Amino acid sequence: MASETAAIDDQLILLKIRFTERTAAQLDALWCNLATWQNGHYAHEDTKSLYLLLHQLAESSGNFGFNQLGQQAARAEKVKHNC
């Protein structure tokens, strides 16, 4: 039983690492595009990708212990619905 628990814990740690790395890469890419977007150069696909990322972060961040990130993503996601 203890070895099963340890195996599950190891899997959860790996999932958290993958989530963190993927999220960091996605946020880096968005950050790089921000200057371009501020100049008014963006495509509908850019806003769609941003909304999808915010939705995913709002839904999954809390599962990995990033509650504040999830809350902020949920707040930002709602901006789309108010526009």
Side-chain angles (χ1 to χ4, degrees), residues 39-58:
N39 291 328
H41 299 98
Y42 59 90
H44 176 69
E45 287 301 313
D46 293 333
T47 56
K48 197 171 163 183
S49 295
L50 175 59
Y51 177 76
L52 180 60
L53 175 60
L54 290 171
H55 180 73
Q56 290 171 342
L57 289 174

Side-chain angles (χ1 to χ4, degrees), residues 14-71:
L14 289 175
L15 286 172
K16 185 174 183 176
I17 289 169
R18 280 190 233 148
F19 173 82
T20 303
E21 290 173 347
R22 185 183 72 238
T23 301
Q26 290 170 318
L27 292 174
D28 283 346
L30 287 172
W31 185 256
C32 290
N33 290 327
L34 184 59
T36 303
W37 295 352
Q38 286 177 330
N39 291 328
H41 299 98
Y42 59 90
H44 176 69
E45 287 301 313
D46 293 333
T47 56
K48 197 171 163 183
S49 295
L50 175 59
Y51 177 76
L52 180 60
L53 175 60
L54 290 171
H55 180 73
Q56 290 171 342
L57 289 174
E59 292 291 318
S60 59
S61 295
N63 294 332
F64 296 102
F66 301 108
N67 297 328
Q68 188 174 6
L69 175 62
Q71 292 168 357

